[in-house]
Amino acid sequence: MDYSIARRRMVAQHVVARGIHDEELIHVMEELPRHLFVEEALQSQAYTDYALPIGEKQTISQPYMVAIMTQSLELKRSDRVLEIGTGSGYQAAVLSRLVTHVYSVERIANLARRARRVLDKIGCSNVHIQVCDGTSGWGEQAPFDAIVVTAGAPDIPQHYLQQLEIGGRLVIPVGGSGAQILKRVTRVSENHFDYEDILECRFVPLIGKHGWSQTS
Ligand code: SAM
């Protein structure tokens, strides 16, 4: 099945028409085979603007959300980026085409394994995946130029702020378990951070030591 027309339509209608202007990101989303990141029965829906189930009660984020989060990171080619919540691997694949190194953490081993397979298949060898609770970041690989959290946190975990380079950007959904505000935090200096609200959003919960507890 050739999905290239559906993919271009998705980018035109749900990404560019909604204000995404980063040319390189737009090009990456036009090229990246998003349907490979969902199971076969859902592949025909991969280019709609919805989050879709990927098993384990988790989702692949909607294309617009991936686009706005990525654009908000203001990436440079040489950046090292940390993603929390590998999920399907789609966001990691987008990042991998824009920067040198992507470090991605996923707490559910099955999802990480599946994501790794797809990322290998399409040649994203600069994505490094670790299976663990990502609410403490990835200390051994820090600092990062950018951090993107693709699950909703009750508060901003301190580790993420500490693991940002000066000038680094963190994009994270923060709020209740049902709805959050997507925030961007910029580390202006050692102890000074700028906070901005980007938009309202709905993410699955960030579960872990510095996030939601499994049962909440
Ligand atoms: N970025 C993903 C993609 O492109 O498909 C979407 C991620 S999905 C909305 C959120 C993911 O965060 C889930 O796979 C979930 O298991 C993961 N997650 C939740 N809490 C986590 C934690 N503490 N550490 C690592 N991953 C976590």
Side-chain angles (χ1 to χ4, degrees):
M1 181 84 186
D2 181 4
Y3 285 108
S4 57
I5 292 173
R7 189 154 57 237
R8 284 181 175 269
R9 195 182 309 127
M10 170 195 89
V11 173
Q13 291 179 351
H14 305 303
V15 174
V16 177
R18 293 182 68 185
I20 300 298
H21 50 73
D22 180 330
E23 295 285 343
E24 230 188 319
L25 167 62
I26 291 166
H27 179 69
V28 166
M29 292 186 74
E30 282 175 344
E31 296 293 316
L32 206 59
R34 180 172 159 92
H35 61 280
L36 297 184
F37 294 86
V38 297
E39 64 179 85
E40 223 169 315
L42 292 176
Q43 288 193 344
S44 62
Q45 296 175 55
Y47 297 103
T48 58
D49 197 38
Y50 294 107
L52 296 173
I54 54 171
E56 312 279 351
K57 298 191 192 147
Q58 305 303 323
T59 53
I60 177 174
S61 305
Q62 68 175 122
Y64 174 68
M65 196 53 68
V66 173
I68 189 81
M69 290 178 98
T70 307
Q71 180 170 273
S72 301
L73 293 172
E74 296 183 345
L75 300 171
K76 294 188 301 299
R77 176 64 56 185
S78 58
D79 280 353
R80 300 170 78 253
V81 180
L82 173 66
E83 177 196 32
I84 306 298
T86 316
S88 69
Y90 178 70
Q91 170 81 73
V94 170
L95 294 169
S96 88
R97 301 264 159 109
L98 295 170
V99 302
T100 322
H101 287 293
V102 180
Y103 297 87
S104 186
V105 185
E106 172 55 57
R107 60 183 283 274
I108 301 175
N110 262 339
L111 295 181
R113 238 189 327 269
R114 242 189 289 151
R116 178 79 274 161
R117 263 205 303 275
V118 183
L119 290 166
D120 285 345
K121 188 169 170 178
I122 61 170
C124 297
S125 55
N126 61 341
V127 177
H128 315 277
I129 299 178
Q130 174 168 256
V131 177
C132 67
D133 170 11
T135 58
S136 300
W138 192 333
E140 297 81 3
Q141 297 297 343
F144 299 99
D145 302 290
I147 301 178
V148 59
V149 183
T150 66
D155 296 295
I156 300 176
Q158 284 302 309
H159 291 277
Y160 299 161
L161 301 176
Q162 287 157 12
Q163 291 176 19
L164 270 186
E165 282 277 14
I166 309 288
R169 291 82 53 206
L170 162 68
V171 170
I172 179 169
V174 182
S177 54
Q180 306 90 30
I181 303 287
L182 188 66
K183 291 182 179 282
R184 175 168 60 188
V185 185
T186 305
R187 187 170 200 174
V188 183
S189 65
E190 185 66 28
N191 296 313
H192 182 208
F193 296 85
D194 261 3
Y195 294 80
E196 299 160 73
D197 290 353
I198 302 173
L199 45 68
E200 288 180 15
C201 55
R202 288 174 75 91
F203 276 84
V204 294
L206 181 76
I207 295 171
K209 186 171 175 205
H210 306 290
W212 296 99
S213 67
Q214 183 94 59
T215 50
S216 54

